[in-house]
Amino acid sequence: MTAPLDLSDLSSLPLDLARPRLVQPGLLPVVPGHERYWVRPGGVTALELESGDELTVVDRFGAQAAELTVLGNGGEDFSALGLRADAPATVLGSLTEGSAFDNEQVARVVTALALRGLRPDAAHGVRLFGGWSPAGSRETFTAQRPVTAVVGNPTWAMSLEEQNPPSDLMIEVQRADPHRPREIELPPPLAEPVLDVRIDQSTAIGYEVKKGDYIQIIDVAGRQCSDFLAFDARALQEGRELGLDASTTRHIVGQAYAQPGLHGKFYNQDMDPLVSIIRDTVGRHDAFTPACNAKYYEDFGYPGHVNCTDNFNGQLKRYAVAARKSWPALNLFYNTMFDEHNMLVFDEPWSRPGDYVMMQAQQDLVCASSACPDDIDPSNGWVPTDIHLRVYSSERKFSMAITHRTNPDSVPKLTRETAFHERTSALTKQFTEYRNFWLPTHYDGYGPKAEYWACRETAAVMDLSPLRKFEVIGPDAEALLQYCMTRNIRKLSEGQVVYTAICNDTGGMIDDATVFRCSDTNFRVIPGEDYTGEWMRQVATERGLDRVWIKDSTDQLHNIAVQGPASRDILRDLIWTPPHQPDFDAVTWFRFTIGRIGDHQGTPVIVSRTGYSGELGYELFCHPSHANAVWDAVWEAGQPHGLTPLGLDALDMLRIESGLVFAGYDFDDQIDPFEAGVGFTVPLKTKEEDFSGRDSLLKRKENPQRRMVGLELAGNEPAGHGDTVHVGRFKVGVVTSATRSPILRKNIALCRMMVEHAEIGAEVQVGKLDGQQKRIPATVVATPFYDPKKEKPRS
């Protein structure tokens, strides 16, 4: 069950809805008394309603059923919302199975039902939407008396041929009394806490934590800093203060502060780890400045101001920790950064209500946490609020994760493992966070160079599941994609794939993607970012295309790529296709087929002749529940051919050699496809219909300022992303991607260059240090560096 975060009590805030001064999505609701919640596939959200409250259930993406159960004091009470139950509540009925739910969430829902004398498998519901309900469909109900409304979201495994993934539901509540005081509710505990305490604003607490236990520090209302101290408890008993030390930590982890993943520990002065960062739903903290202290406020003219340092001194006294005038601390949620002038600056925190950081104690610890009292600058958004602390036993295990949001007010998504993680993690411990998933950087016993050469000489298999997948279906699907994509989608045949740029109205690249045509009205779009799906929905609305459904299938389709000269031989005898689908050998470059592993009863897969390596290769898509079977079959078939696992480090070398661009490095929404080196995706002469950015792209092509070129660097020192490129003193370009090419035995780079210096053979210099004190001579060359005619993937 998703516990509500109610921020509807805005009576103390000056609101002028007619003249909004700030747009702050994700922090405060625009309308008093208006609340919004999400229900994910297979999930349940329960809300308490008072008489007169309006409940609206929204099928935001369309074609998604909902189940509404209404509970009163004496059991089910559908009449309170003017309804009659029409069927069993299948989602509630599945709670006892616990298949898709955290145990704590199951317990909360089951308890709510039990208080009303109901078992989950005996509950009834009213079915809303489903079938082909249009995106944005809404049903609104008004409570006649106090009740609990439970909204369930049915889920299922997507059919590869039907393209029918389940999707999120949204709930809106408009309170009859928008100014009635309502306490902000915390997210539910992640397990049974051994310590569960509120840290009131402008105070601090000291506490002890056992080795292995988990510390969760929650920002209750958003934009509130919490300074954190930790000491080795055993060392304190011996009279030594060994506390969390930011300088030592930065030296060891090579980052401004530790984050979840390989470099996720904070150390003390003796270089012993004190805590590991397990989860971070914010991503912006501070480990450079001390906790606020008396002198800070005195220097601003506020003598006697309460401060974190004095609060810590008071709390740590009982642990025999000597008082200080300033405490170095891990300042959670404190938003600091260094500007271009190397000045340390700060602003309001990024944290929203309910955001948290979770740490695991690596030693028995004495800790202190504060709710910072700073109200004289933006540190706490000018208004100090509470922090909440929970400690969980080491007996519970929590996934390591960072949070991503598609938009500022989107539901946060924790980093997750791909469906192939069980197999890849058996081969390596080297994982990094990549687009909200954990992916291997390289494999133990192989290494990036060995993985690279395997792909160039034999074959390699890599997990590419983080690529986003969207099913775009319906009578208006082709018209939508014809406008959203730079390529001419109308020319796509069934079974064909095309690589395309996706541009905004100024011609800047929002994303790049491959588009699969599954039928006359059905497409699959595979971009890099979640926002691409949001943008396509916005375009559909703006252009009045109401017979198209854009459904996120990322969690229904995970994929591996088998790349290299031997990839065809590995897969030829493995893939069976039915008579109405092309045979495996008939799948030419940028085509796909739907088949099975082994024979007609095998695991269903989609096989496309696509890749990101510059070699002959294929991608295999399957439902996550089939991932182990697919991996095992490919791995077994590949062993006689020397199949090797491949991680992100080797993939980067492969794609740069092949001139394949990467979002955030080689392009962004300020860079057009011509500047990014993918101008071939913009058929301005042959695509006569309008598409997003067309007018701007016409002007940009006629008056180019920059061009993507290749650089070959002299000597053995590599370039790096962001290095400036010079002719004389002045900058004429910037390195976007760079690597040491094993097969060319040269340092190479992709560079966005001013057209005046972009001719093949031009001599330039790559700036190092400050760009002036050290230079690497380089020559402009054509791209791709490797296999310039793309004969390998076409073979």
PDB file of all heavy atoms in Angstrom, residues 495-497 514 516 526 559-563 571 584 587-594 605-611 617-621:
ATOM      1  N   GLY A 495       8.162  -5.375 -39.702  1.00  0.00           N
ATOM      2  CA  GLY A 495       9.377  -6.144 -39.466  1.00  0.00           C
ATOM      3  C   GLY A 495      10.651  -5.350 -39.657  1.00  0.00           C
ATOM      4  O   GLY A 495      11.749  -5.893 -39.519  1.00  0.00           O
ATOM      5  N   GLN A 496      10.520  -4.050 -39.968  1.00  0.00           N
ATOM      6  CA  GLN A 496      11.693  -3.216 -40.196  1.00  0.00           C
ATOM      7  C   GLN A 496      11.959  -2.339 -38.981  1.00  0.00           C
ATOM      8  O   GLN A 496      11.048  -1.982 -38.226  1.00  0.00           O
ATOM      9  CB  GLN A 496      11.479  -2.340 -41.439  1.00  0.00           C
ATOM     10  CG  GLN A 496      12.717  -1.582 -41.901  1.00  0.00           C
ATOM     11  CD  GLN A 496      12.479  -0.828 -43.204  1.00  0.00           C
ATOM     12  OE1 GLN A 496      11.377  -0.840 -43.742  1.00  0.00           O
ATOM     13  NE2 GLN A 496      13.515  -0.171 -43.696  1.00  0.00           N
ATOM     14  N   VAL A 497      13.221  -1.957 -38.804  1.00  0.00           N
ATOM     15  CA  VAL A 497      13.674  -1.094 -37.717  1.00  0.00           C
ATOM     16  C   VAL A 497      14.385   0.097 -38.338  1.00  0.00           C
ATOM     17  O   VAL A 497      15.044  -0.043 -39.381  1.00  0.00           O
ATOM     18  CB  VAL A 497      14.651  -1.834 -36.773  1.00  0.00           C
ATOM     19  CG1 VAL A 497      14.970  -0.985 -35.544  1.00  0.00           C
ATOM     20  CG2 VAL A 497      14.094  -3.190 -36.362  1.00  0.00           C
ATOM     21  N   THR A 514      15.519   3.685 -31.656  1.00  0.00           N
ATOM     22  CA  THR A 514      15.179   2.798 -32.756  1.00  0.00           C
ATOM     23  C   THR A 514      13.669   2.586 -32.723  1.00  0.00           C
ATOM     24  O   THR A 514      13.070   2.491 -31.657  1.00  0.00           O
ATOM     25  CB  THR A 514      15.904   1.448 -32.663  1.00  0.00           C
ATOM     26  OG1 THR A 514      15.725   0.899 -31.343  1.00  0.00           O
ATOM     27  CG2 THR A 514      17.374   1.607 -32.935  1.00  0.00           C
ATOM     28  N   PHE A 516      10.584   0.138 -34.150  1.00  0.00           N
ATOM     29  CA  PHE A 516      10.222  -1.142 -34.739  1.00  0.00           C
ATOM     30  C   PHE A 516       8.782  -1.034 -35.249  1.00  0.00           C
ATOM     31  O   PHE A 516       7.892  -0.634 -34.495  1.00  0.00           O
ATOM     32  CB  PHE A 516      10.268  -2.260 -33.695  1.00  0.00           C
ATOM     33  CG  PHE A 516      11.636  -2.643 -33.213  1.00  0.00           C
ATOM     34  CD1 PHE A 516      12.514  -1.705 -32.672  1.00  0.00           C
ATOM     35  CD2 PHE A 516      12.054  -3.965 -33.271  1.00  0.00           C
ATOM     36  CE1 PHE A 516      13.760  -2.077 -32.204  1.00  0.00           C
ATOM     37  CE2 PHE A 516      13.303  -4.346 -32.798  1.00  0.00           C
ATOM     38  CZ  PHE A 516      14.161  -3.395 -32.266  1.00  0.00           C
ATOM     39  N   ILE A 526      12.246   2.459 -28.953  1.00  0.00           N
ATOM     40  CA  ILE A 526      13.267   2.139 -27.941  1.00  0.00           C
ATOM     41  C   ILE A 526      14.250   3.308 -27.863  1.00  0.00           C
ATOM     42  O   ILE A 526      15.236   3.365 -28.601  1.00  0.00           O
ATOM     43  CB  ILE A 526      13.984   0.823 -28.284  1.00  0.00           C
ATOM     44  CG1 ILE A 526      12.960  -0.304 -28.445  1.00  0.00           C
ATOM     45  CG2 ILE A 526      14.997   0.475 -27.200  1.00  0.00           C
ATOM     46  CD1 ILE A 526      13.557  -1.658 -28.718  1.00  0.00           C
ATOM     47  N   ASN A 559      16.481  -7.064 -22.405  1.00  0.00           N
ATOM     48  CA  ASN A 559      17.164  -7.517 -23.616  1.00  0.00           C
ATOM     49  C   ASN A 559      18.666  -7.640 -23.436  1.00  0.00           C
ATOM     50  O   ASN A 559      19.278  -6.911 -22.652  1.00  0.00           O
ATOM     51  CB  ASN A 559      16.864  -6.579 -24.792  1.00  0.00           C
ATOM     52  CG  ASN A 559      17.225  -5.132 -24.536  1.00  0.00           C
ATOM     53  OD1 ASN A 559      16.725  -4.513 -23.606  1.00  0.00           O
ATOM     54  ND2 ASN A 559      18.083  -4.574 -25.373  1.00  0.00           N
ATOM     55  N   ILE A 560      19.217  -8.590 -24.170  1.00  0.00           N
ATOM     56  CA  ILE A 560      20.669  -8.741 -24.276  1.00  0.00           C
ATOM     57  C   ILE A 560      21.040  -8.570 -25.742  1.00  0.00           C
ATOM     58  O   ILE A 560      20.215  -8.748 -26.643  1.00  0.00           O
ATOM     59  CB  ILE A 560      21.164 -10.112 -23.767  1.00  0.00           C
ATOM     60  CG1 ILE A 560      20.423 -11.263 -24.455  1.00  0.00           C
ATOM     61  CG2 ILE A 560      21.042 -10.193 -22.251  1.00  0.00           C
ATOM     62  CD1 ILE A 560      20.972 -12.641 -24.114  1.00  0.00           C
ATOM     63  N   ALA A 561      22.293  -8.202 -25.967  1.00  0.00           N
ATOM     64  CA  ALA A 561      22.824  -8.095 -27.324  1.00  0.00           C
ATOM     65  C   ALA A 561      23.927  -9.132 -27.490  1.00  0.00           C
ATOM     66  O   ALA A 561      24.781  -9.286 -26.603  1.00  0.00           O
ATOM     67  CB  ALA A 561      23.369  -6.689 -27.577  1.00  0.00           C
ATOM     68  N   VAL A 562      23.892  -9.843 -28.590  1.00  0.00           N
ATOM     69  CA  VAL A 562      24.967 -10.776 -28.959  1.00  0.00           C
ATOM     70  C   VAL A 562      25.642 -10.160 -30.176  1.00  0.00           C
ATOM     71  O   VAL A 562      25.033 -10.044 -31.245  1.00  0.00           O
ATOM     72  CB  VAL A 562      24.422 -12.176 -29.285  1.00  0.00           C
ATOM     73  CG1 VAL A 562      25.566 -13.127 -29.611  1.00  0.00           C
ATOM     74  CG2 VAL A 562      23.598 -12.711 -28.110  1.00  0.00           C
ATOM     75  N   GLN A 563      26.879  -9.715 -30.009  1.00  0.00           N
ATOM     76  CA  GLN A 563      27.576  -8.933 -31.024  1.00  0.00           C
ATOM     77  C   GLN A 563      28.920  -9.576 -31.364  1.00  0.00           C
ATOM     78  O   GLN A 563      29.597 -10.122 -30.493  1.00  0.00           O
ATOM     79  CB  GLN A 563      27.813  -7.506 -30.516  1.00  0.00           C
ATOM     80  CG  GLN A 563      26.551  -6.787 -30.050  1.00  0.00           C
ATOM     81  CD  GLN A 563      25.721  -6.236 -31.177  1.00  0.00           C
ATOM     82  OE1 GLN A 563      26.160  -5.360 -31.917  1.00  0.00           O
ATOM     83  NE2 GLN A 563      24.499  -6.737 -31.323  1.00  0.00           N
ATOM     84  N   LEU A 571      23.593 -17.959 -32.957  1.00  0.00           N
ATOM     85  CA  LEU A 571      22.138 -17.876 -32.835  1.00  0.00           C
ATOM     86  C   LEU A 571      21.389 -18.662 -33.903  1.00  0.00           C
ATOM     87  O   LEU A 571      20.198 -18.957 -33.741  1.00  0.00           O
ATOM     88  CB  LEU A 571      21.696 -16.415 -32.891  1.00  0.00           C
ATOM     89  CG  LEU A 571      22.203 -15.522 -31.752  1.00  0.00           C
ATOM     90  CD1 LEU A 571      21.764 -14.079 -31.976  1.00  0.00           C
ATOM     91  CD2 LEU A 571      21.693 -16.019 -30.398  1.00  0.00           C
ATOM     92  N   PHE A 584      15.414 -16.894 -39.240  1.00  0.00           N
ATOM     93  CA  PHE A 584      16.531 -16.169 -38.640  1.00  0.00           C
ATOM     94  C   PHE A 584      17.502 -15.674 -39.717  1.00  0.00           C
ATOM     95  O   PHE A 584      17.926 -14.514 -39.697  1.00  0.00           O
ATOM     96  CB  PHE A 584      17.267 -17.057 -37.635  1.00  0.00           C
ATOM     97  CG  PHE A 584      18.504 -16.428 -37.079  1.00  0.00           C
ATOM     98  CD1 PHE A 584      18.426 -15.453 -36.089  1.00  0.00           C
ATOM     99  CD2 PHE A 584      19.762 -16.768 -37.562  1.00  0.00           C
ATOM    100  CE1 PHE A 584      19.577 -14.846 -35.586  1.00  0.00           C
ATOM    101  CE2 PHE A 584      20.907 -16.177 -37.069  1.00  0.00           C
ATOM    102  CZ  PHE A 584      20.809 -15.208 -36.074  1.00  0.00           C
ATOM    103  N   VAL A 587      16.759 -12.406 -41.528  1.00  0.00           N
ATOM    104  CA  VAL A 587      16.739 -11.137 -40.787  1.00  0.00           C
ATOM    105  C   VAL A 587      17.980 -10.342 -41.165  1.00  0.00           C
ATOM    106  O   VAL A 587      19.087 -10.597 -40.680  1.00  0.00           O
ATOM    107  CB  VAL A 587      16.685 -11.380 -39.264  1.00  0.00           C
ATOM    108  CG1 VAL A 587      16.686 -10.042 -38.520  1.00  0.00           C
ATOM    109  CG2 VAL A 587      15.450 -12.180 -38.896  1.00  0.00           C
ATOM    110  N   THR A 588      17.794  -9.393 -42.069  1.00  0.00           N
ATOM    111  CA  THR A 588      18.898  -8.559 -42.519  1.00  0.00           C
ATOM    112  C   THR A 588      19.058  -7.352 -41.605  1.00  0.00           C
ATOM    113  O   THR A 588      18.306  -7.159 -40.646  1.00  0.00           O
ATOM    114  CB  THR A 588      18.654  -8.107 -43.970  1.00  0.00           C
ATOM    115  OG1 THR A 588      17.371  -7.471 -44.044  1.00  0.00           O
ATOM    116  CG2 THR A 588      18.688  -9.293 -44.910  1.00  0.00           C
ATOM    117  N   TRP A 589      20.050  -6.521 -41.921  1.00  0.00           N
ATOM    118  CA  TRP A 589      20.389  -5.367 -41.080  1.00  0.00           C
ATOM    119  C   TRP A 589      19.157  -4.482 -40.870  1.00  0.00           C
ATOM    120  O   TRP A 589      18.456  -4.115 -41.804  1.00  0.00           O
ATOM    121  CB  TRP A 589      21.508  -4.584 -41.754  1.00  0.00           C
ATOM    122  CG  TRP A 589      22.248  -3.665 -40.833  1.00  0.00           C
ATOM    123  CD1 TRP A 589      22.547  -3.876 -39.525  1.00  0.00           C
ATOM    124  CD2 TRP A 589      22.803  -2.396 -41.177  1.00  0.00           C
ATOM    125  NE1 TRP A 589      23.270  -2.823 -39.016  1.00  0.00           N
ATOM    126  CE2 TRP A 589      23.449  -1.893 -40.003  1.00  0.00           C
ATOM    127  CE3 TRP A 589      22.852  -1.638 -42.346  1.00  0.00           C
ATOM    128  CZ2 TRP A 589      24.096  -0.664 -39.980  1.00  0.00           C
ATOM    129  CZ3 TRP A 589      23.510  -0.425 -42.324  1.00  0.00           C
ATOM    130  CH2 TRP A 589      24.118   0.069 -41.160  1.00  0.00           C
ATOM    131  N   PHE A 590      18.886  -4.160 -39.599  1.00  0.00           N
ATOM    132  CA  PHE A 590      17.761  -3.336 -39.183  1.00  0.00           C
ATOM    133  C   PHE A 590      16.411  -3.964 -39.571  1.00  0.00           C
ATOM    134  O   PHE A 590      15.492  -3.306 -40.021  1.00  0.00           O
ATOM    135  CB  PHE A 590      17.885  -1.905 -39.700  1.00  0.00           C
ATOM    136  CG  PHE A 590      18.750  -1.049 -38.808  1.00  0.00           C
ATOM    137  CD1 PHE A 590      20.126  -1.045 -38.972  1.00  0.00           C
ATOM    138  CD2 PHE A 590      18.194  -0.283 -37.796  1.00  0.00           C
ATOM    139  CE1 PHE A 590      20.931  -0.291 -38.133  1.00  0.00           C
ATOM    140  CE2 PHE A 590      18.988   0.472 -36.958  1.00  0.00           C
ATOM    141  CZ  PHE A 590      20.366   0.481 -37.118  1.00  0.00           C
ATOM    142  N   ARG A 591      16.323  -5.285 -39.337  1.00  0.00           N
ATOM    143  CA  ARG A 591      15.067  -6.030 -39.428  1.00  0.00           C
ATOM    144  C   ARG A 591      14.918  -6.864 -38.152  1.00  0.00           C
ATOM    145  O   ARG A 591      15.873  -7.040 -37.405  1.00  0.00           O
ATOM    146  CB  ARG A 591      15.077  -6.956 -40.643  1.00  0.00           C
ATOM    147  CG  ARG A 591      15.114  -6.240 -41.974  1.00  0.00           C
ATOM    148  CD  ARG A 591      13.737  -5.858 -42.424  1.00  0.00           C
ATOM    149  NE  ARG A 591      13.741  -5.114 -43.686  1.00  0.00           N
ATOM    150  CZ  ARG A 591      12.638  -4.870 -44.388  1.00  0.00           C
ATOM    151  NH1 ARG A 591      11.477  -5.319 -43.959  1.00  0.00           N
ATOM    152  NH2 ARG A 591      12.709  -4.176 -45.516  1.00  0.00           N
ATOM    153  N   PHE A 592      13.710  -7.361 -37.905  1.00  0.00           N
ATOM    154  CA  PHE A 592      13.499  -8.197 -36.723  1.00  0.00           C
ATOM    155  C   PHE A 592      12.500  -9.298 -37.032  1.00  0.00           C
ATOM    156  O   PHE A 592      11.760  -9.248 -38.014  1.00  0.00           O
ATOM    157  CB  PHE A 592      13.031  -7.359 -35.534  1.00  0.00           C
ATOM    158  CG  PHE A 592      11.615  -6.846 -35.621  1.00  0.00           C
ATOM    159  CD1 PHE A 592      10.564  -7.558 -35.050  1.00  0.00           C
ATOM    160  CD2 PHE A 592      11.328  -5.650 -36.263  1.00  0.00           C
ATOM    161  CE1 PHE A 592       9.258  -7.092 -35.119  1.00  0.00           C
ATOM    162  CE2 PHE A 592      10.032  -5.170 -36.331  1.00  0.00           C
ATOM    163  CZ  PHE A 592       8.980  -5.890 -35.765  1.00  0.00           C
ATOM    164  N   THR A 593      12.495 -10.298 -36.178  1.00  0.00           N
ATOM    165  CA  THR A 593      11.538 -11.386 -36.255  1.00  0.00           C
ATOM    166  C   THR A 593      11.120 -11.774 -34.854  1.00  0.00           C
ATOM    167  O   THR A 593      11.819 -11.460 -33.874  1.00  0.00           O
ATOM    168  CB  THR A 593      12.131 -12.598 -36.998  1.00  0.00           C
ATOM    169  OG1 THR A 593      11.103 -13.560 -37.230  1.00  0.00           O
ATOM    170  CG2 THR A 593      13.242 -13.265 -36.171  1.00  0.00           C
ATOM    171  N   ILE A 594       9.989 -12.463 -34.742  1.00  0.00           N
ATOM    172  CA  ILE A 594       9.492 -12.950 -33.456  1.00  0.00           C
ATOM    173  C   ILE A 594       9.541 -14.465 -33.496  1.00  0.00           C
ATOM    174  O   ILE A 594       8.999 -15.092 -34.418  1.00  0.00           O
ATOM    175  CB  ILE A 594       8.056 -12.469 -33.183  1.00  0.00           C
ATOM    176  CG1 ILE A 594       8.018 -10.937 -33.152  1.00  0.00           C
ATOM    177  CG2 ILE A 594       7.537 -13.038 -31.861  1.00  0.00           C
ATOM    178  CD1 ILE A 594       6.626 -10.355 -33.007  1.00  0.00           C
ATOM    179  N   VAL A 605      10.876 -14.927 -27.869  1.00  0.00           N
ATOM    180  CA  VAL A 605      11.852 -13.841 -27.970  1.00  0.00           C
ATOM    181  C   VAL A 605      11.569 -13.014 -29.227  1.00  0.00           C
ATOM    182  O   VAL A 605      10.970 -13.493 -30.185  1.00  0.00           O
ATOM    183  CB  VAL A 605      13.311 -14.349 -28.018  1.00  0.00           C
ATOM    184  CG1 VAL A 605      13.737 -14.962 -26.708  1.00  0.00           C
ATOM    185  CG2 VAL A 605      13.492 -15.336 -29.179  1.00  0.00           C
ATOM    186  N   ILE A 606      12.004 -11.777 -29.198  1.00  0.00           N
ATOM    187  CA  ILE A 606      12.088 -10.935 -30.383  1.00  0.00           C
ATOM    188  C   ILE A 606      13.567 -10.813 -30.716  1.00  0.00           C
ATOM    189  O   ILE A 606      14.380 -10.519 -29.835  1.00  0.00           O
ATOM    190  CB  ILE A 606      11.480  -9.552 -30.127  1.00  0.00           C
ATOM    191  CG1 ILE A 606      10.016  -9.672 -29.736  1.00  0.00           C
ATOM    192  CG2 ILE A 606      11.642  -8.644 -31.346  1.00  0.00           C
ATOM    193  CD1 ILE A 606       9.447  -8.400 -29.145  1.00  0.00           C
ATOM    194  N   VAL A 607      13.925 -11.038 -31.963  1.00  0.00           N
ATOM    195  CA  VAL A 607      15.318 -10.978 -32.385  1.00  0.00           C
ATOM    196  C   VAL A 607      15.449  -9.889 -33.446  1.00  0.00           C
ATOM    197  O   VAL A 607      14.791  -9.952 -34.492  1.00  0.00           O
ATOM    198  CB  VAL A 607      15.798 -12.324 -32.962  1.00  0.00           C
ATOM    199  CG1 VAL A 607      17.273 -12.230 -33.358  1.00  0.00           C
ATOM    200  CG2 VAL A 607      15.576 -13.449 -31.964  1.00  0.00           C
ATOM    201  N   SER A 608      16.256  -8.890 -33.163  1.00  0.00           N
ATOM    202  CA  SER A 608      16.493  -7.819 -34.139  1.00  0.00           C
ATOM    203  C   SER A 608      17.967  -7.798 -34.520  1.00  0.00           C
ATOM    204  O   SER A 608      18.833  -8.073 -33.684  1.00  0.00           O
ATOM    205  CB  SER A 608      16.081  -6.461 -33.572  1.00  0.00           C
ATOM    206  OG  SER A 608      16.900  -6.096 -32.482  1.00  0.00           O
ATOM    207  N   ARG A 609      18.230  -7.464 -35.772  1.00  0.00           N
ATOM    208  CA  ARG A 609      19.628  -7.366 -36.214  1.00  0.00           C
ATOM    209  C   ARG A 609      20.060  -5.912 -36.033  1.00  0.00           C
ATOM    210  O   ARG A 609      20.105  -5.113 -36.959  1.00  0.00           O
ATOM    211  CB  ARG A 609      19.778  -7.820 -37.656  1.00  0.00           C
ATOM    212  CG  ARG A 609      21.233  -7.958 -38.048  1.00  0.00           C
ATOM    213  CD  ARG A 609      21.411  -8.765 -39.307  1.00  0.00           C
ATOM    214  NE  ARG A 609      22.679  -8.444 -39.932  1.00  0.00           N
ATOM    215  CZ  ARG A 609      23.062  -8.890 -41.105  1.00  0.00           C
ATOM    216  NH1 ARG A 609      22.262  -9.701 -41.797  1.00  0.00           N
ATOM    217  NH2 ARG A 609      24.228  -8.546 -41.622  1.00  0.00           N
ATOM    218  N   THR A 610      20.326  -5.576 -34.823  1.00  0.00           N
ATOM    219  CA  THR A 610      20.719  -4.227 -34.422  1.00  0.00           C
ATOM    220  C   THR A 610      21.807  -4.337 -33.365  1.00  0.00           C
ATOM    221  O   THR A 610      22.067  -5.414 -32.831  1.00  0.00           O
ATOM    222  CB  THR A 610      19.513  -3.455 -33.835  1.00  0.00           C
ATOM    223  OG1 THR A 610      18.883  -4.266 -32.817  1.00  0.00           O
ATOM    224  CG2 THR A 610      18.484  -3.130 -34.913  1.00  0.00           C
ATOM    225  N   GLY A 611      22.437  -3.229 -33.026  1.00  0.00           N
ATOM    226  CA  GLY A 611      23.460  -3.249 -31.988  1.00  0.00           C
ATOM    227  C   GLY A 611      24.141  -1.909 -31.857  1.00  0.00           C
ATOM    228  O   GLY A 611      23.826  -0.954 -32.569  1.00  0.00           O
ATOM    229  N   GLY A 617      25.692  -8.181 -35.437  1.00  0.00           N
ATOM    230  CA  GLY A 617      25.144  -8.469 -34.127  1.00  0.00           C
ATOM    231  C   GLY A 617      23.628  -8.472 -34.104  1.00  0.00           C
ATOM    232  O   GLY A 617      22.959  -8.045 -35.049  1.00  0.00           O
ATOM    233  N   TYR A 618      23.112  -8.967 -32.986  1.00  0.00           N
ATOM    234  CA  TYR A 618      21.670  -9.115 -32.786  1.00  0.00           C
ATOM    235  C   TYR A 618      21.320  -8.699 -31.368  1.00  0.00           C
ATOM    236  O   TYR A 618      22.155  -8.745 -30.454  1.00  0.00           O
ATOM    237  CB  TYR A 618      21.249 -10.572 -33.004  1.00  0.00           C
ATOM    238  CG  TYR A 618      21.566 -11.104 -34.377  1.00  0.00           C
ATOM    239  CD1 TYR A 618      22.848 -11.580 -34.683  1.00  0.00           C
ATOM    240  CD2 TYR A 618      20.606 -11.124 -35.378  1.00  0.00           C
ATOM    241  CE1 TYR A 618      23.151 -12.065 -35.943  1.00  0.00           C
ATOM    242  CE2 TYR A 618      20.905 -11.605 -36.650  1.00  0.00           C
ATOM    243  CZ  TYR A 618      22.179 -12.080 -36.923  1.00  0.00           C
ATOM    244  OH  TYR A 618      22.473 -12.544 -38.181  1.00  0.00           O
ATOM    245  N   GLU A 619      20.056  -8.324 -31.185  1.00  0.00           N
ATOM    246  CA  GLU A 619      19.501  -8.087 -29.852  1.00  0.00           C
ATOM    247  C   GLU A 619      18.335  -9.032 -29.648  1.00  0.00           C
ATOM    248  O   GLU A 619      17.513  -9.234 -30.552  1.00  0.00           O
ATOM    249  CB  GLU A 619      19.059  -6.638 -29.704  1.00  0.00           C
ATOM    250  CG  GLU A 619      20.211  -5.650 -29.676  1.00  0.00           C
ATOM    251  CD  GLU A 619      19.753  -4.213 -29.511  1.00  0.00           C
ATOM    252  OE1 GLU A 619      19.458  -3.805 -28.369  1.00  0.00           O
ATOM    253  OE2 GLU A 619      19.679  -3.503 -30.534  1.00  0.00           O
ATOM    254  N   LEU A 620      18.257  -9.605 -28.443  1.00  0.00           N
ATOM    255  CA  LEU A 620      17.187 -10.530 -28.077  1.00  0.00           C
ATOM    256  C   LEU A 620      16.375  -9.916 -26.944  1.00  0.00           C
ATOM    257  O   LEU A 620      16.927  -9.596 -25.878  1.00  0.00           O
ATOM    258  CB  LEU A 620      17.756 -11.880 -27.628  1.00  0.00           C
ATOM    259  CG  LEU A 620      18.172 -12.879 -28.717  1.00  0.00           C
ATOM    260  CD1 LEU A 620      19.414 -12.386 -29.460  1.00  0.00           C
ATOM    261  CD2 LEU A 620      18.445 -14.246 -28.089  1.00  0.00           C
ATOM    262  N   PHE A 621      15.067  -9.763 -27.173  1.00  0.00           N
ATOM    263  CA  PHE A 621      14.153  -9.188 -26.187  1.00  0.00           C
ATOM    264  C   PHE A 621      13.255 -10.294 -25.652  1.00  0.00           C
ATOM    265  O   PHE A 621      12.747 -11.128 -26.421  1.00  0.00           O
ATOM    266  CB  PHE A 621      13.287  -8.109 -26.825  1.00  0.00           C
ATOM    267  CG  PHE A 621      14.054  -6.958 -27.411  1.00  0.00           C
ATOM    268  CD1 PHE A 621      14.627  -7.058 -28.675  1.00  0.00           C
ATOM    269  CD2 PHE A 621      14.201  -5.772 -26.709  1.00  0.00           C
ATOM    270  CE1 PHE A 621      15.324  -6.002 -29.227  1.00  0.00           C
ATOM    271  CE2 PHE A 621      14.899  -4.704 -27.248  1.00  0.00           C
ATOM    272  CZ  PHE A 621      15.466  -4.819 -28.508  1.00  0.00           C
TER     273      PHE A 621
END
